[in-house]
Amino acid sequence: MIRCVRMWTGPDGDSLFEEGTIALTEGERGDFVGAAVAARRLSFQETASGGAYAWHQDPVPRFVITLSGTLEFETRSGRTFTIRPGDVLLAQDNSGSGHRWRLIGDEPWRRAYIVYEEGADLPFTPAPHQG
């Protein structure tokens, strides 16, 4: 399973997040395969170690796949989560108060941004909530 954190804008305008996974099913050769998602645009970006980004929203709904680097994300409520290499961020907080992030450690943050088609069936499965 691939770890995924989904971030979106709540009714009060603040960013919320939940942990989950990218849904995979058994495929050929013992691989596990996720459903294809129609994509509009793919781009890559790198931020040097020690980087940070102040409060912002994501410009468009998209997947952010971390290739290297470890980050701490924070919402206005003070809640935080960590993204590591191989994790996927499903960035849907495109309005409201947004979030900020900072790099932890000595690695640069290398990532792929994948803007998906509006209305696409997304393979995110929320983790069961612990009560």
Side-chain angles (χ1 to χ4, degrees):
M1 299 222 272
I2 298 172
R3 180 174 179 260
C4 183
V5 177
R6 183 175 82 97
M7 192 165 26
W8 73 98
T9 305
D12 62 357
D14 285 344
S15 292
L16 302 171
F17 66 90
E18 65 181 338
E19 295 206 29
T21 58
I22 298 294
L24 302 174
T25 58
E26 281 193 57
E28 297 179 23
R29 300 178 310 277
D31 290 342
F32 289 88
V33 179
V37 176
R40 292 181 30 215
R41 188 170 59 242
L42 167 67
S43 62
F44 297 91
Q45 196 166 333
E46 180 176 318
T47 300
S49 64
Y53 198 37
W55 296 107
H56 66 284
Q57 307 99 9
D58 275 287
V60 294
R62 59 189 176 177
F63 289 101
V64 183
I65 302 172
T66 294
L67 306 171
S68 74
T70 301
L71 297 98
E72 180 181 72
F73 282 77
E74 181 180 5
T75 64
R76 292 277 184 178
S77 69
R79 292 187 65 212
T80 63
F81 64 92
T82 303
I83 293 287
R84 294 177 178 82
D87 290 344
V88 175
L89 175 65
L90 178 50
Q92 298 176 316
D93 66 330
N94 313 117
S95 63
S97 62
H99 61 276
R100 65 181 174 182
W101 57 260
R102 67 183 181 94
L103 270 159
I104 302 169
D106 298 329
E107 291 283 318
W109 184 25
R110 294 184 182 113
R111 63 227 182 246
Y113 290 110
I114 302 163
V115 178
Y116 54 85
E117 290 286 347
E118 187 175 331
D121 188 19
L122 304 177
F124 176 77
T125 303
H129 292 287
Q130 302 292 318

